């Protein structure tokens, strides 16, 4: 859909009362939620968090952050915006073409014009923007690195999403200043998540072809 279609979608959803919304994660996975178009960013954040197994914000022990570690983002080709608690995601979707004009630096780039043309002709199925559930930009990096984990099952979905985002950021070179020590630590964590605890009978030298471990680019 392009700008006009996004606006039509918003108006139709408003008239219908409820609509389905796909909320994405950074690795391309998504969940589908049925919501009222007037839902706020914080309401949507908590709805997705609960669906993932997190406790609602405000029902956690003092000093523990669950859903509060994340935010609702609307992201497109060249613009990524984290929504404030009371912002309305559907309004951002409907007004995305205007937001691109306000914030983007690629509107005159040939590749963007071609992409926009393909969307208008229906040759490109990817929408101009998507709603994401991502780590909030306001989360302290010190808190993220020292995230408390012992003995609380509700930590698991939080740590899982943090890991998935860090993994994708590393693969796509969003950590330009990532030092060697951090890179090795991330690689070790990836191996642990993907292959489990060390098993001498299974994890022998060259048990997995190197080309399956390399980043896609």
């Amino acid at each position: 859909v392009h700008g006009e279609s996004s606006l039509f979608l918003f108006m139709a959803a408003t008239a219908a009362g409820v609509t389905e919304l796909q909320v994405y994660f950074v690795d391309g996975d998504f969940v589908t939620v049925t919501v009222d178009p007037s839902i706020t960013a914080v309401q949507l954040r908590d709805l997705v968090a609960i669906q993932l197994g997190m406790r609602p914000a405000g029902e956690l022990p003092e000093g523990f952050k669950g859903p509060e570690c994340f935010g609702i983002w609307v992201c497109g080709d060249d613009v990524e915006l984290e929504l404030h608690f009371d912002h309305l995601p559907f309004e951002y979707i409907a007004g995305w073409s205007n937001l691109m004009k306000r914030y983007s630096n690629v509107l005159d780039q040939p590749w963007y014009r071609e992409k926009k043309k393909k969307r208008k002709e229906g040759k490109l199925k990817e929408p101009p923007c998507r709603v994401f559930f991502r780590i909030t930009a306001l989360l302290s990096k010190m808190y993220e690195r020292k995230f408390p984990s012992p003995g609380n099952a509700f930590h698991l979905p939080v740590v899982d999403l943090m890991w998935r985002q860090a993994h994708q950021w590393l693969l796509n070179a969003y950590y330009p200043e990532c030092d060697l020590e951090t890179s090795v630590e991330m690689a070790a964590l990836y191996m642990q998540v993907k292959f489990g605890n060390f098993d001498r009978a299974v994890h022998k030298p060259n048990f997995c072809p190197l080309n399956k471990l390399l980043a896609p680019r």
Side-chain angles (χ1 to χ4, degrees):
V1 292
H2 48 88
E4 293 80 359
S5 297
S6 296
L7 179 59
F8 176 79
L9 173 64
F10 172 68
M11 294 174 65
T14 304
V18 295
T19 189
E20 288 189 343
L21 176 67
Q22 291 180 339
V23 181
Y24 285 81
F25 308 105
V26 295
D27 58 2
D29 196 8
F30 65 89
V31 295
T32 301
V33 292
T34 302
V35 296
D36 187 291
S38 64
I39 192 169
T40 64
V42 70
Q43 289 171 336
L44 180 59
R45 181 202 70 182
D46 287 352
L47 178 64
V48 173
I50 293 170
Q51 186 167 328
L52 295 173
M54 299 182 200
R55 290 275 290 278
E59 294 185 12
L60 297 164
E62 184 177 354
F64 173 78
K65 296 179 181 178
E68 298 163 309
C69 294
F70 303 92
I72 295 298
W73 298 65
V74 180
C75 305
D77 295 314
D78 184 51
V79 177
E80 299 182 351
L81 300 174
E82 181 175 7
L83 276 55
H84 189 268
F85 287 172
D86 58 358
H87 288 177
L88 306 179
F90 278 91
E91 285 191 357
Y92 276 75
I93 296 172
W96 191 251
S97 60
N98 291 329
L99 291 169
M100 284 291 291
K101 292 176 183 177
R102 181 176 180 182
Y103 295 112
S104 177
N105 295 315
V106 303
L107 298 182
D108 295 326
Q109 296 292 324
W111 68 266
Y112 180 74
R113 289 182 174 180
E114 181 65 20
K115 199 170 187 179
K116 191 174 182 180
K117 179 182 177 182
K118 288 182 178 180
R119 280 200 184 105
K120 191 171 184 179
E121 294 173 348
K123 297 178 180 178
L124 183 63
K125 301 302 182 182
E126 176 189 325
C129 65
R130 288 174 173 168
V131 177
F132 282 82
F133 186 90
R134 282 172 38 177
I135 294 174
T136 173
L138 302 178
L139 183 66
S140 164
K141 292 302 178 185
M142 291 297 294
Y143 184 86
E144 184 178 348
R145 288 184 66 87
K146 297 180 180 180
F147 191 80
S149 59
N152 190 321
F154 292 104
H155 286 127
L156 298 179
V158 178
V159 173
D160 177 65
L161 281 177
M162 284 184 171
W163 157 251
R164 287 161 67 180
Q165 181 161 326
H167 181 220
Q168 289 298 314
W169 264 216
L170 195 64
L171 289 180
N172 291 281
Y174 291 165
Y175 289 144
E177 298 181 1
C178 183
D179 55 38
L180 179 60
E181 182 180 351
T182 302
S183 298
V184 171
E185 182 181 2
M186 290 292 294
L189 288 171
Y190 174 74
M191 296 291 284
Q192 175 76 21
V193 170
K194 187 173 181 64
F195 300 111
N197 294 331
F198 176 69
D199 184 339
R200 190 180 300 276
V202 175
H203 302 134
K204 299 178 181 180
N206 301 318
F207 80 95
C208 182
L210 183 60
N211 63 345
K212 292 187 176 182
L213 299 176
L214 295 177
R217 69 177 206 182

Coordinates of all heavy atoms in Angstrom, one line a residue, residues 10 37-41 74 83-93:
F10 N -6.7 3.1 7.6 CA -6.9 3.7 8.9 C -8.4 4.0 9.0 O -9.0 3.8 10.0 CB -6.1 4.9 9.0 CG -6.4 5.7 10.2 CD1 -6.1 5.2 11.5 CD2 -7.0 7.0 10.1 CE1 -6.4 6.0 12.7 CE2 -7.3 7.7 11.3 CZ -7.0 7.2 12.5
P37 N -8.5 0.8 16.6 CA -7.6 1.8 16.0 C -7.2 3.0 16.9 O -6.2 3.7 16.6 CB -8.4 2.3 14.7 CG -9.3 1.2 14.4 CD -9.7 0.6 15.8
S38 N -7.9 3.1 18.0 CA -7.6 4.2 18.9 C -6.6 3.8 19.9 O -6.2 4.6 20.9 CB -8.8 4.8 19.6 OG -9.4 3.7 20.4
I39 N -6.0 2.6 19.8 CA -5.1 2.1 20.8 C -3.8 2.9 20.8 O -3.4 3.4 19.8 CB -4.7 0.6 20.5 CG1 -4.0 0.0 21.7 CG2 -3.9 0.5 19.2 CD1 -3.8 -1.5 21.6
T40 N -3.3 3.2 22.0 CA -2.1 4.0 22.2 C -0.9 3.1 22.1 O -1.0 1.9 22.2 CB -2.1 4.7 23.5 OG1 -2.1 3.8 24.6 CG2 -3.3 5.6 23.7
A41 N 0.3 3.7 22.0 CA 1.5 3.0 21.9 C 1.8 2.1 23.1 O 2.2 1.0 23.0 CB 2.7 3.9 21.6
V74 N 7.5 2.8 14.6 CA 7.0 2.8 13.3 C 8.2 3.1 12.4 O 8.8 4.1 12.5 CB 5.8 3.7 13.0 CG1 5.3 3.6 11.5 CG2 4.6 3.5 13.9
L83 N 7.4 5.7 19.3 CA 6.3 6.5 19.7 C 6.2 6.7 21.2 O 6.6 5.8 22.0 CB 5.0 5.7 19.3 CG 4.5 5.9 17.8 CD1 5.6 5.6 16.8 CD2 3.3 5.1 17.6
H84 N 5.8 7.9 21.5 CA 5.5 8.2 22.9 C 4.3 7.4 23.4 O 3.5 6.9 22.6 CB 5.3 9.7 23.1 CG 5.2 10.1 24.5 ND1 4.0 10.2 25.3 CD2 6.2 10.6 25.4 CE1 4.3 10.6 26.5 NE2 5.6 10.8 26.6
F85 N 4.2 7.2 24.8 CA 3.2 6.4 25.3 C 1.8 6.7 24.8 O 1.0 5.8 24.5 CB 3.1 6.6 26.9 CG 4.3 5.9 27.6 CD1 4.5 6.1 28.9 CD2 5.1 5.1 26.9 CE1 5.5 5.5 29.6 CE2 6.2 4.5 27.6 CZ 6.4 4.7 28.9
D86 N 1.4 8.0 24.6 CA 0.1 8.3 24.2 C -0.1 8.5 22.7 O -1.1 8.9 22.3 CB -0.4 9.6 25.0 CG 0.5 10.8 24.8 OD1 1.5 10.7 24.1 OD2 0.2 11.9 25.3
H87 N 1.0 8.3 21.9 CA 0.8 8.4 20.5 C 0.0 7.2 20.0 O -0.1 6.2 20.6 CB 2.2 8.4 19.8 CG 3.0 9.7 20.0 ND1 4.2 9.9 19.6 CD2 2.6 10.8 20.7 CE1 4.6 11.1 19.9 NE2 3.7 11.7 20.6
L88 N -0.6 7.5 18.8 CA -1.5 6.5 18.2 C -0.8 5.9 17.0 O -0.7 6.5 16.0 CB -2.8 7.1 17.8 CG -3.6 7.9 18.9 CD1 -4.9 8.5 18.3 CD2 -3.9 7.0 20.1
P89 N -0.5 4.6 17.0 CA 0.2 3.9 15.9 C -0.5 4.1 14.6 O 0.1 4.3 13.5 CB 0.3 2.5 16.4 CG 0.4 2.6 17.9 CD -0.6 3.7 18.2
F90 N -1.9 3.9 14.6 CA -2.6 4.0 13.3 C -2.5 5.4 12.7 O -2.6 5.5 11.5 CB -4.1 3.6 13.6 CG -4.2 2.1 13.6 CD1 -4.2 1.4 14.8 CD2 -4.5 1.4 12.4 CE1 -4.3 0.0 14.8 CE2 -4.6 0.0 12.4 CZ -4.6 -0.7 13.6
E91 N -2.4 6.4 13.5 CA -2.3 7.7 12.9 C -0.9 7.9 12.2 O -0.8 8.5 11.2 CB -2.4 8.8 14.0 CG -3.9 9.0 14.5 CD -4.0 10.2 15.3 OE1 -3.0 10.9 15.7 OE2 -5.2 10.5 15.7
Y92 N 0.1 7.3 12.8 CA 1.4 7.3 12.2 C 1.4 6.5 10.9 O 2.0 7.0 9.9 CB 2.5 6.7 13.1 CG 3.0 7.7 14.1 CD1 2.2 8.1 15.2 CD2 4.2 8.3 14.0 CE1 2.7 9.1 16.1 CE2 4.7 9.3 14.9 CZ 3.9 9.6 15.9 OH 4.4 10.6 16.8
I93 N 0.7 5.4 10.8 CA 0.7 4.6 9.6 C -0.1 5.4 8.5 O 0.4 5.5 7.4 CB -0.1 3.3 9.9 CG1 0.7 2.4 10.8 CG2 -0.3 2.5 8.5 CD1 0.0 1.2 11.3

